[in-house]
Amino acid sequence: LPWLPSPKSAAMARCASASLAFATLPILASAFVQRALPTGAAASPIARSPRAVSPRSVAAEANTAVVAGGGPAGLATALILAQRGFDVTVLEKRAEPNPYEPQRAYLYLVDGRGQRFTDAAGLTEELASPATSVSSLNYTVTRCLPDGQREESVPPILEPSDRPSYWIPRARFLALLNSALPPTVTTRFGAELRELHQTPDGGVEVVASCSDGSELRLTPSLLVGADGLQSLVRQRCGEWSGAAAEYTPVVLPSPSSGLRYQMIKMPPDLRLDPKNASVTAQPRKAYSMRPATDAPLGPTRLGLLPVADPTFPRTANVILPPEHPVWALGSAEEVLGWLRATFPHLPVDDVVSADEAAAFAAGGPRGPPPPPP
């Protein structure tokens, strides 16, 4: 992350918004920087600690940073800033560190680009552990056909490399990053960014609401936005700079850019054969469920990526165009009926609960999609 400043920088950028490459994490795909403090302001006398919970407003403290967003981008940024001498406060609206979130239960493929970060953070060895991830050189893909046949193959290596990539669930990757944070990083769970203000001396005041009903006000010397596609930090950077176009995410054409996705949670050892209960999915294998030729809503597939933890729920990716009739299914029974008719070789009633089907119907499609298997 070479764009992140060091406290020793003579003209350190004060406000930044970072967006995250979706398919390979935690590569920071773009950084937008705006000066919000005059040069040298970080060295002026200030009050100590940005970690107070009670409402307050003080002059910016030297070598302190607030990172808005405690996802992979935010935690990776916090870790690098701590290595460069900052005291960091991470604001994360989730109530707990590494929750299992069904609609964020996708897996990341950490390739050589992502491993440049894990190398710098000292995390590659743990990332590569078979207990943590599945190596791209050590898994297979099984096509489950509607006639009950299963075809297993080794996926092709699209970009040969001298080091493998690693499949890791988002929740496990967050746990890996959280475990590496030093004492100079404080993560405030249940703290949601509400507003940003420019202070009279040209600084930035960060206002967050906490789950206990209190309000948190911080005035760091550096603010980094890792707060998603609808980033408040990015929005304020554009407004304050007078050059909003420079802070607008760039949309690039891609075959997948118009697709939407949803996930369906299934048991870790889900059954693959409606007639034989002993035939179950293996955690370190990927599966592609192929549709019946007479599927009522047209050909669709379910994709399941490999996981290292045999107790981790499997999630089936449903990735389709936004106008697809699947997204119009309005009840659990409609979802289950579609699954039964489309995948007769899958014991749907044993692997998809009514609650999960209802959540699929109520959730609505999301975008952009994760990388398909």
Side-chain angles (χ1 to χ4, degrees):
L1 311 179
W3 66 273
L4 287 177
S6 165
K8 297 180 181 179
S9 302
M12 184 172 65
R14 304 301 175 192
C15 186
S17 172
S19 63
L20 195 62
F22 196 85
T24 304
L25 302 171
I27 295 298
L28 294 179
S30 59
F32 310 97
V33 178
Q34 180 222 355
R35 297 189 190 286
L37 286 178
T39 301
S44 56
I46 35 90
R48 182 68 183 165
S49 175
R51 299 188 180 116
V53 176
S54 59
R56 67 192 192 99
S57 179
V58 298
E61 180 180 356
N63 304 345
T64 63
V66 167
V67 177
L75 295 181
T77 302
L79 183 55
I80 295 299
L81 285 173
Q83 290 179 347
R84 298 189 181 186
F86 283 84
D87 287 334
V88 185
T89 298
V90 179
L91 303 178
E92 172 51 52
K93 63 183 178 181
R94 296 192 318 269
E96 55 184 291
N98 315 308
Y100 175 82
E101 300 171 279
Q103 291 309 317
R104 289 187 176 182
Y106 33 74
L107 281 79
Y108 298 143
L109 182 62
V110 184
D111 63 8
R113 296 174 297 166
Q115 288 171 54
R116 289 202 295 271
F117 162 74
T118 58
D119 289 345
L123 295 173
T124 303
E125 183 177 356
E126 186 174 355
L127 169 70
S129 167
T132 302
S133 67
V134 176
S135 167
S136 61
L137 303 181
N138 191 30
Y139 80 99
T140 62
V141 177
T142 299
R143 294 195 307 165
C144 299
L145 306 177
D147 63 1
Q149 298 297 309
R150 287 176 289 277
E151 301 175 350
E152 186 173 12
S153 61
V154 176
I157 298 176
L158 301 179
E159 298 181 6
S161 172
D162 58 353
R163 61 196 308 184
S165 302
Y166 299 98
W167 289 108
I168 181 171
R170 184 179 190 273
R172 184 65 187 88
F173 192 57
L174 287 173
L176 183 65
L177 292 172
N178 272 305
S179 69
L181 296 176
T184 52
V185 177
T186 299
T187 304
R188 298 298 306 265
F189 293 102
E192 184 171 1
L193 180 63
R194 288 298 185 189
E195 191 50 85
L196 303 172
H197 303 291
Q198 285 186 303
T199 59
D201 62 353
V204 178
E205 181 186 51
V206 180
V207 182
S209 59
C210 301
S211 57
D212 62 3
S214 63
E215 187 177 76
L216 182 65
R217 292 178 179 264
L218 306 173
T219 52
S221 58
L222 177 69
L223 168 64
V224 178
D227 47 343
L229 292 175
Q230 307 302 321
S231 170
L232 178 61
V233 177
R234 183 188 298 117
Q235 178 183 339
R236 293 294 180 265
C237 282
E239 293 171 357
W240 295 344
S241 69
E246 297 182 8
Y247 296 88
T248 302
V250 177
V251 179
L252 300 175
S254 166
S256 65
S257 61
L259 298 177
R260 294 294 181 264
Y261 80 95
Q262 272 262 57
M263 296 183 182
I264 301 176
K265 184 174 70 171
M266 297 183 177
D269 55 349
L270 66 111
R271 286 179 56 189
L272 298 177
D273 190 324
K275 299 179 181 179
N276 188 346
S278 67
V279 180
T280 59
Q282 302 302 303
R284 306 184 75 87
K285 295 183 178 182
Y287 295 89
S288 177
M289 305 296 175
R290 302 305 176 98
T293 55
D294 58 349
L297 299 183
T300 55
R301 298 179 184 180
L302 301 179
L304 291 82
L305 293 168
V307 295
D309 184 351
T311 66
F312 196 82
R314 301 301 291 267
T315 50
N317 296 317
V318 180
I319 305 175
L320 295 166
E323 68 278 3
H324 198 280
V326 163
W327 306 131
L329 298 175
S331 68
E333 189 50 46
E334 287 182 357
V335 171
L336 291 172
W338 162 65
L339 290 172
R340 295 185 195 108
T342 305
F343 307 102
H345 49 303
L346 186 68
V348 169
D349 294 306
D350 291 331
V351 301
V352 180
S353 69
D355 287 345
E356 185 63 21
F360 183 92
R366 297 169 178 256

